């Protein structure tokens, strides 16, 4: 009797969590349907392919549904309901993935299983068209002796390739195509190989499009950064360039290699010595890398610079039509590779054409004078640079200009120290001229002015494949206009440049072992490779990449998650923003009617942030926070005509993301996109528990966005002023800024972890704020101590006139950030309210934790001492409700600690 009651209770509870709802892609007005034939098990994760999908339940069991042509039984090819993958019974699966026509699963022990279409080796099986049942994949590291099996954390599948992320944070690949990121000429690759280009880096996530790949990589600490090379190892063009744009100069490091390949120097040498002859059975092989450049061989370099990074040559476009196709694989011939001499002649032709164009037009380069360093995180600049290098750069730029101009530099992708390192490197230093070939006479190197002219011309050559107009429009918010240059540099500017900065406040905290180990990292980079004919790689061009290359436009954007569609890509940031790039034929990018080869912000919801995304074949999904904390789902992309519509035969798309009607479904926790349909996992609000979790996550993400705005719009410009007050005032303000920045970063990490928490099993005991409450208590205590010390000593009233003037000019901004509605409120009170926002957040923590605690029934009547406060010691006791499990008791403990910390900070402020 009890067992029957237990089963009925379990079945009833399973109907409230992990519910599967399916939409047909291409219809914004359609209503979702429950997955046909699916029972009552709770689904934790789902993955969709072109015509099939896989489901992972909370007990680690995998089901497949849809069209399954690889199954051995005819009845299982198109089952009416999801079928159990019997080969995985007994294996506890922790994650699943689906490519266009194949599937994969990873067990708790880190073993990979693959099944489905295998014509391109995407299931890691040789000479077999289909793999009907899940088959274990052997992944071993040949660098170890004896061979050790590699444990896998995550899996991603494309159309003809598969990527696996190991427990040591390295990527393994198998299948076919340049999207593998491997240096090989033999396809298919059926034995998993490590992507050596990212070896030694900490990879956080991998994602696969149809024929391109993405990786989220943790930034290297500053001490591990390598010096930036002067020239590209492949084409020998300058990596940092100056481009004359009439009345201003653009300093840019957005170099685009004409060969479409970025290899290290040693790898390039090895590749040059290998005779390459792909077999006729190779699909989308490396030979296609040179299709675009060979088709353009008879065109002037300037004709390649067109809007949105697309190539004007019809031949060049048609040469890549077969790249990115979604048809089933078939044997076909591939073009052979050009020899090294042909490539060198092509590069030299590009160089000569650019130089001749410049000389015919009589253009004069105008170098820039970067004097201000913007404190942007994640910029890869050398750790130290002498001030004499900066002075020489200033003098050389000023002497070369002679007229008043406006200089700009790309603050989001280029650091001043990087520029100074480039200019201060002596030509005779080892490695400076490695792999480079001088195109000008020897006399050009004797004069700094002539060298600047040469670099400007080289800049035009290296950017001939990149749409510089697109860079200018995108960089409008990232570039910093500098004061005009005079024919003679002001001594004040030179003294300012040479003066040792005393206010070196690190607004982006250094790596902290415990927090970075427990919470997601926000210091990330995005690396992409594979086919890029639609700009889906994000490098500003339409060239393919054989090796992973960093998307520089996303440096410092704090990307926490990546998604790849058929020919477009999405990047979600910690500030709940989405950057999208690639094909925009149907409006799947969510920001304009045109494609883009560089990441741009998607315009989803102006008031609320995005916390989860999914990319389908030609559409995108955005899960957005709402005012009532119930997530809203936006759709952007292909719009199929409905019955009665007089639409053209070709499908139309959405102009802007459209909000879907799904308020009655419940709380959406995860969205997944395929080719013709997309899927959402939904939870019902069980005793208010699910709503409380979403409230905690949504308010934390919003709080981080507000703290980031305060740091970037108030603290950073305030600290850059020359005169802030007395030495003691500056020291106290620096301490406040440093603690504020550390707390801000912790909140950003916590917001990202809560988003991941909502995707999983959602057990209260796994909440970071409960398991590791000391991290939050310590950071809040440090900040509360610093701000109260600053206010007790006089606070913002002691700031000097330049600081007060700056704050007065931005009083409206301060009121908006501090949520002060009274316009008559004094400036000092607004500032006090603004910088005490973290203590108010402590109160919000306590409120939400109390809601969580009341969701559980308890019968224990014991009284527990758990907290002592102050001197003399005051022992605080708490009597929990009845029959509460021990780990839920931590909710009460953490709740009261936050309350005491808030009251203690407020008491210090009131007694100042």
């Amino acid at each position: 009797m009890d067992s029957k009651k237990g089963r009925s209770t379990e079945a009833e509870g399973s109907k409230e969590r992990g519910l599967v709802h399916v939409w047909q892609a291409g219809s914004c007005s359609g209503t979702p349907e429950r997955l046909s034939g699916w029972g009552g098990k709770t689904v934790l994760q789902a993955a969709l392919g072109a015509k099939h999908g896989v489901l992972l339940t909370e007990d680690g069991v995998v089901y497949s549904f849809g069209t399954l042509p690889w199954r051995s039984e005819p009845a299982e090819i198109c089952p009416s309901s999801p079928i159990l993958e019997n080969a995985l019974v007994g294996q506890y699966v922790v994650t699943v993935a689906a490519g266009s026509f194949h599937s994969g699963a990873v067990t708790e022990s880190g073993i990979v299983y693959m099944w489905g279409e295998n014509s391109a080796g995407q299931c890691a099986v040789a000479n077999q068209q289909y793999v009907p049942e899940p088959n274990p994949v052997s992944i071993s590291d040949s660098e170890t002796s004896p061979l050790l099996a590699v444990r896998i954390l995550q899996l991603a599948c494309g159309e003809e390739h598969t990527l696996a992320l190991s427990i040591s944070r390295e990527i393994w690949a198998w299948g076919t195509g340049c999207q593998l990121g491997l240096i090989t000429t033999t396809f298919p690759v059926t034995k998993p190989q490590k992507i050596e280009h990212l070896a030694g880096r900490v990879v956080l996530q991998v994602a696969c499009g149809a024929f391109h790949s993405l990786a989220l990589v943790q930034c290297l600490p500053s001490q591990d950064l390598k010096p930036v090379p002067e020239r590209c190892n492949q084409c020998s063009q300058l990596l940092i360039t100056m481009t004359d744009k009439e009345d201003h100069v653009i300093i840019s490091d957005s170099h685009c290699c004409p060969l479409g390949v970025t290899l290290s120097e040693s790898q390039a040498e090895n590749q040059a010595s290998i005779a390459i002859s792909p077999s006729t059975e190779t699909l989308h092989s490396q030979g296609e890398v040179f299709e675009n450049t060979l088709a353009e061989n008879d065109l002037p370099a300037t004709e390649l610079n067109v809007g949105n990074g697309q190539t004007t040559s019809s031949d060049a476009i048609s040469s890549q039509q077969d790249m990115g196709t979604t048809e089933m694989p078939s044997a076909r011939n591939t073009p052979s590779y050009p020899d090294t001499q042909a490539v060198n002649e092509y590069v030299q032709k590009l160089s000569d054409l650019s130089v001749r164009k410049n000389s015919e037009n009589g253009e004069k380069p105008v170098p820039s004078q970067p004097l201000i360093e913007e404190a942007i995180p994640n910029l890869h600049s050398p750790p130290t640079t002498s001030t004499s290098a900066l002075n020489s750069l200033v003098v050389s730029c000023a002497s070369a200009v002679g007229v008043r101009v406006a200089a700009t530099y790309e603050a989001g992708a280029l650091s001043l120290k990087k520029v100074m390192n480039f200019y201060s490197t002596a030509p005779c230093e080892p490695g400076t001229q490695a792999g480079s070939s001088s195109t000008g006479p020897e006399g050009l190197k004797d004069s700094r002015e002539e060298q600047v002219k040469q670099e400007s011309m080289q800049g035009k050559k290296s950017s001939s494949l990149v749409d510089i107009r697109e860079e200018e429009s995108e960089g409008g918010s990232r570039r910093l206009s500098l004061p005009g240059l005079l024919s003679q540099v002001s001594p004040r500017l030179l003294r300012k440049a040479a003066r040792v900065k005393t206010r070196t406040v690190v607004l982006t905290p250094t790596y902290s072992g415990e927090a970075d180990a427990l919470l997601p990292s926000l210091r990330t980079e995005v690396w992409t490779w594979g086919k890029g004919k639609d700009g889906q790689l994000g490098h500003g061009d339409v060239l393919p990449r054989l090796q992973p290359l960093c998307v520089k436009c996303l440096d410092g954007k704090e990307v926490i998650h990546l998604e790849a569609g058929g020919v477009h890509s999405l990047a979600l940031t910690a500030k709940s923003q989405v950057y999208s790039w690639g094909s925009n034929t149907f409006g799947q990018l969510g920001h304009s009617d045109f494609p883009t080869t560089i990441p741009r912000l998607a315009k989803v919801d102006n008031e609320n942030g995005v916390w989860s995304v999914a990319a389908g074949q030609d559409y995108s999904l955005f899960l957005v926070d709402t005012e009532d904390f119930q997530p809203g789902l936006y759709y952007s992309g292909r719009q199929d005509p409905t019955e009665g519509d007089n639409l053209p035969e070709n499908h139309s798309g959405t102009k802007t993301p459209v909000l879907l009607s799904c308020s009655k479904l419940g709380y959406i926790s995860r969205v997944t996109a395929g080719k013709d349909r997309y899927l959402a996992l939904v939870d019902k609000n069980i005793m208010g528990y699910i709503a409380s979790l979403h409230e905690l996550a949504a308010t934390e993400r919003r709080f981080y966005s507000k703290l980031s705005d305060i740091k970037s719009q108030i603290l950073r410009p305030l600290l850059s002023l020359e005169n802030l007050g007395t030495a003691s005032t500056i020291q106290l303000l620096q301490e406040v800024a440093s603690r504020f920045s550390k707390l801000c970063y912790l909140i950003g990490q916590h917001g990202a972890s809560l988003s991941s928490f909502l995707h999983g099993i959602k057990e209260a005991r796994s909440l970071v704020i409960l398991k590791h409450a000391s991290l939050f208590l310590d950071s809040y205590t440090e900040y509360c101590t610093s701000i109260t010390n600053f206010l007790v000593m006089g606070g913002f009233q002691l700031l000097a006139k330049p600081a007060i003037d700056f704050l007065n000019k931005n009083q409206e901004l301060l009121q908006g950030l501090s949520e002060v509605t009274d316009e008559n409120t004094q400036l000092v009170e607004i500032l006090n309210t603004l910088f005490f926002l973290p203590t108010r957040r402590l109160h919000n923590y306590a409120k939400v934790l109390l809601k969580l605690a009341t969701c559980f029934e308890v019968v224990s009547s014991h009284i527990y001492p758990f907290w002592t406060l102050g001197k003399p010691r005051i022992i605080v006791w708490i009597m929990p409700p009845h029959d509460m499990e021990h780990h839920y008791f931590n909710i009460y403990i953490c709740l009261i600690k936050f309350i005491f910390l808030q009251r203690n900070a407020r008491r210090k402020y009131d007694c100042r």
Side-chain angles (χ1 to χ4, degrees):
M1 185 68 181
D2 293 338
S3 61
K4 291 182 179 180
K5 181 179 179 181
R7 284 196 298 269
S8 63
T9 303
E10 181 182 356
E12 184 68 24
S14 63
K15 293 179 182 178
E16 296 178 326
R17 292 182 53 229
L19 307 178
V20 183
H21 292 269
V22 181
W23 286 262
Q24 289 299 319
S27 176
C28 297
S29 59
T31 57
E33 300 176 353
R34 295 291 297 272
L35 184 62
S36 60
W38 179 243
K41 284 194 174 184
T42 298
V43 177
L44 289 184
Q45 185 189 356
L48 295 177
K51 296 183 179 180
H52 80 289
V54 290
L55 302 175
L56 173 64
T57 64
E58 63 179 349
D59 53 356
V61 179
V62 178
Y63 292 82
S64 296
F65 63 95
T67 303
L68 313 173
W70 49 86
R71 302 290 295 192
S72 55
E73 297 294 332
E76 295 178 342
I77 294 179
C78 294
S80 58
S81 61
I83 59 176
L84 175 67
E85 294 293 349
N86 293 311
L88 294 175
V89 174
Q91 301 285 343
Y92 188 85
V93 177
V94 293
T95 184
V96 293
S100 295
F101 306 101
H102 69 293
S103 306
V106 181
T107 66
E108 190 177 26
S109 57
I111 300 176
V112 175
Y113 286 80
M114 303 295 301
W115 67 99
E117 168 71 37
N118 185 56
S119 58
Q122 58 265 54
C123 290
V125 178
N127 303 321
Q128 191 171 332
Q129 181 74 13
Y130 296 108
V131 179
E133 299 289 339
N135 180 68
V137 177
S138 175
I139 305 177
S140 58
D141 194 346
S142 59
E143 297 178 358
T144 61
S145 181
L147 295 179
L148 296 178
V150 177
R151 294 181 59 187
I152 300 301
L153 288 177
Q154 188 216 337
L155 205 63
C157 301
E159 183 160 327
E160 296 181 351
H161 74 298
T162 304
L163 300 181
L165 179 61
S166 71
I167 197 172
S168 58
R169 299 295 177 177
E170 295 177 321
I171 305 178
W172 296 76
W174 59 92
T176 296
C178 61
Q179 60 268 25
L180 294 180
L182 303 174
I183 305 177
T184 180
T185 60
T186 304
F187 295 105
V189 176
T190 56
K191 179 178 176 54
Q193 297 184 23
K194 185 194 301 183
I195 299 181
E196 297 292 346
H197 199 77
L198 288 175
R201 303 294 299 269
V202 177
V203 181
L204 305 176
Q205 184 218 341
V206 290
C208 291
F211 297 100
H212 71 290
S213 305
L214 298 88
L216 187 64
V217 182
Q218 184 171 304
C219 292
L220 290 173
S222 57
Q223 62 269 21
D224 295 341
L225 296 178
K226 298 179 180 179
V228 180
E230 179 182 358
R231 295 179 180 272
C232 175
N233 291 323
Q234 283 297 117
C235 63
S236 300
Q237 294 181 4
L238 291 173
L239 297 179
I240 301 178
T241 61
M242 285 186 180
T243 307
D244 181 9
K245 301 299 291 185
E246 295 180 355
D247 61 340
H248 65 280
V249 174
I250 297 176
I251 300 178
S252 175
D253 62 348
S254 57
H255 165 72
C256 172
C257 184
L259 302 181
V261 185
T262 301
L263 301 174
S264 64
E265 184 178 357
S266 60
Q267 293 167 340
E269 292 176 355
N270 294 336
Q271 287 295 99
S273 61
I274 299 177
I276 304 175
S277 57
S279 63
T280 57
E281 298 179 357
T282 301
L283 303 177
H284 306 294
S285 64
Q286 293 175 333
E288 294 177 342
V289 172
F290 295 97
E291 281 185 294
N292 193 37
T293 54
L294 288 176
E296 297 165 357
N297 199 26
D298 298 328
L299 295 175
T302 54
E303 293 182 7
L304 303 179
N305 186 15
V306 295
N308 300 318
Q310 302 295 332
T311 307
T312 55
S313 170
S314 57
D315 295 329
I317 295 176
S318 61
S319 67
Q320 293 191 7
Q321 292 296 322
D322 57 334
M323 298 170 59
T325 178
T326 57
E327 298 178 357
M328 296 299 292
S330 59
R332 57 185 173 87
N333 295 328
T334 56
S336 60
Y337 286 86
D339 55 17
T340 305
Q341 182 179 359
V343 173
N344 292 335
E345 290 177 355
Y346 171 69
V347 173
Q348 184 63 34
K349 186 175 182 180
L350 278 180
S351 175
D352 296 341
L353 283 171
S354 296
V355 173
R356 188 161 58 250
K357 277 283 184 179
N358 293 335
S359 60
E360 291 174 357
N361 297 335
E363 296 179 350
K364 295 183 178 180
V366 183
S368 67
Q369 180 191 14
L371 291 177
I372 302 175
E373 179 181 359
E374 180 73 3
I376 302 293
N378 299 336
L379 291 183
H380 285 196
S381 57
T384 57
T385 306
S386 62
T387 56
S388 60
L390 175 61
N391 292 340
S392 63
L393 175 60
V394 171
V395 173
S396 63
C397 288
S399 61
V401 175
V403 293
R404 186 177 182 84
V405 296
T408 61
Y409 73 95
E410 297 201 15
L414 185 61
S415 117
L416 177 61
K417 291 181 180 179
K418 193 172 180 180
V419 178
M420 290 191 297
N421 179 72
F422 170 69
Y423 275 92
S424 60
T425 304
C428 59
E429 287 182 7
T432 302
Q433 301 296 333
S436 63
S437 60
S438 177
T439 58
E442 192 64 23
L444 291 178
K445 297 182 181 180
D446 299 332
S447 169
R448 174 67 68 179
E449 179 178 353
E450 294 298 327
Q451 183 182 0
V452 170
K453 292 180 181 180
Q454 180 187 2
E455 289 154 1
S456 178
M457 291 187 293
Q458 286 282 5
K460 293 181 181 298
K461 287 189 294 183
S462 63
S463 62
S464 61
L465 296 176
V466 184
D467 182 6
I468 200 163
R469 292 190 298 275
E470 184 173 355
E471 289 186 6
E472 288 186 71
S473 59
E474 170 64 16
S477 60
R478 299 185 284 109
R479 290 175 183 158
L480 176 64
S481 293
L482 303 182
L485 302 179
L486 303 179
S487 57
Q488 186 174 3
V489 179
S490 169
R492 181 181 63 82
L493 293 178
L494 287 178
R495 286 196 303 269
K496 179 179 178 181
R499 183 170 60 244
V500 178
K501 294 183 178 180
T502 58
R503 297 189 302 274
T504 55
V505 180
V506 180
L507 293 184
T508 300
T510 56
Y511 286 81
S512 56
E514 186 178 8
D516 285 342
L518 299 174
L519 295 169
S521 176
L522 306 186
R523 306 176 187 90
T524 57
E525 300 170 340
V526 176
W527 293 66
T528 62
W529 63 99
K531 298 181 180 179
K533 73 183 184 68
D534 291 283
Q536 61 265 43
L537 299 185
H539 300 307
D541 56 60
V542 294
L543 297 177
R545 294 295 194 280
L546 290 177
Q547 294 280 281
L549 186 63
C550 183
V551 181
K552 299 173 185 176
C553 294
L554 293 175
D555 282 356
K557 301 299 184 182
E558 298 181 343
V559 176
I560 59 174
H561 185 74
L562 297 173
E563 286 286 335
V567 284
H568 73 289
S569 307
L570 305 176
L572 176 66
T573 71
K575 291 185 66 175
S576 300
Q577 297 174 326
V578 178
Y579 288 86
S580 57
W581 61 97
S583 173
N584 200 28
T585 306
F586 302 101
Q588 58 262 48
L589 298 185
H591 52 59
S592 67
D593 297 332
F594 304 101
T596 176
T597 58
I598 58 176
R600 295 183 185 275
L601 271 177
K603 301 176 182 178
V604 182
D605 191 330
N606 295 330
E607 298 180 358
N608 302 299
V610 181
W611 66 275
S612 184
V613 294
Q617 179 72 20
D618 43 23
Y619 63 92
S620 301
L621 300 172
F622 308 92
L623 205 54
V624 179
D625 288 320
T626 59
E627 293 301 324
D628 60 355
F629 309 116
Q630 185 169 342
L633 184 60
Y634 281 79
Y635 175 92
S636 182
R638 187 183 84 236
Q639 184 69 28
D640 294 336
T642 58
E643 295 183 4
D645 290 343
N646 295 322
L647 296 178
E649 293 183 1
N650 55 332
H651 295 168
S652 62
T654 58
K655 299 298 181 182
T656 57
V658 179
L659 177 64
L660 302 180
S661 177
C662 53
S663 58
K664 296 181 180 180
L665 299 180
Y667 287 78
I668 300 177
S669 61
R670 187 192 289 260
V671 289
T672 304
K675 181 181 180 181
D676 296 323
R677 55 183 169 178
Y678 52 95
L679 179 150
L681 301 181
V682 182
D683 300 324
K684 297 295 184 180
N685 190 14
I686 310 169
M687 296 179 61
Y689 176 69
I690 298 298
S692 299
L693 290 177
H694 280 270
E695 180 181 354
L696 175 62
T699 53
E700 191 77 336
R701 290 188 290 262
R702 294 173 187 173
F703 183 53
Y704 175 65
S705 296
K706 183 176 288 292
L707 294 184
S708 297
D709 292 339
I710 295 173
K711 184 175 70 172
S712 61
Q713 300 180 38
I714 303 299
L715 277 179
R716 180 169 286 134
L718 180 64
L719 293 172
S720 66
L721 299 176
E722 291 189 13
N723 186 12
L724 293 176
T726 62
S728 59
T729 302
I730 294 175
Q731 184 177 0
L732 289 172
L733 184 59
Q734 287 179 353
E735 182 69 15
V736 170
S738 178
R739 300 301 184 188
F740 183 93
S741 178
K742 180 180 178 181
L743 180 62
C744 176
Y745 187 79
L746 176 66
I747 298 304
Q749 289 181 297
H750 187 222
S753 71
L754 287 173
S755 299
S756 300
F757 174 83
L758 292 176
H759 292 329
I761 200 169
K762 292 179 279 294
E763 287 188 358
R765 61 181 175 181
S766 61
L767 280 169
V768 178
I769 200 171
L770 299 180
K771 291 178 63 177
H772 308 284
S774 59
L775 282 176
F776 300 87
L777 292 171
D778 291 345
S779 296
Y780 272 97
T781 301
E782 291 174 356
Y783 175 71
C784 291
T785 302
S786 64
I787 188 64
T788 49
N789 289 341
F790 178 65
L791 295 177
V792 166
M793 296 302 294
F796 298 100
Q797 295 175 337
L798 298 180
L799 294 178
K801 187 177 184 302
I804 297 298
D805 292 342
F806 165 77
L807 295 172
N808 281 324
K809 291 178 181 178
N810 295 275
Q811 186 161 349
E812 184 177 351
L813 173 63
L814 291 171
Q815 284 183 333
L817 292 174
S818 61
E819 301 176 0
V820 174
T821 57
D822 188 2
E823 297 181 356
N824 298 324
T825 307
Q826 297 295 323
L827 176 63
V828 174
E829 288 302 320
I830 295 177
L831 291 170
N832 292 342
T833 304
L834 183 67
F835 284 93
F836 263 90
L837 284 178
T839 63
R840 292 174 54 187
R841 181 60 185 158
L842 288 172
H843 175 71
N844 294 333
Y845 283 143
K847 181 180 68 174
V848 177
L849 289 175
L850 182 59
K851 289 182 180 180
L852 287 175
T854 57
C855 294
F856 306 99
E857 297 180 359
V858 262
V859 293
S860 175
S861 59
H862 297 289
I863 300 177
Y864 299 94
F866 71 96
W867 184 256
T868 58
L869 180 67
K871 295 180 180 180
R873 295 185 180 275
I874 301 174
I875 301 178
V876 182
W877 302 78
I878 183 171
M879 184 174 69
H882 289 303
D883 198 27
M884 182 163 114
E885 294 185 27
H886 177 69
H887 56 267
Y888 293 124
F889 180 63
N890 292 334
I891 298 179
Y892 285 99
I893 296 177
C894 195
L895 182 154
I896 302 300
K897 286 182 179 181
F898 282 140
I899 293 176
F900 276 129
L901 180 57
Q902 183 204 17
R903 291 180 178 176
N904 192 27
R906 175 56 63 179
R907 187 181 300 112
K908 289 183 180 180
Y909 169 64
D910 293 337
C911 296
R912 59 186 171 88

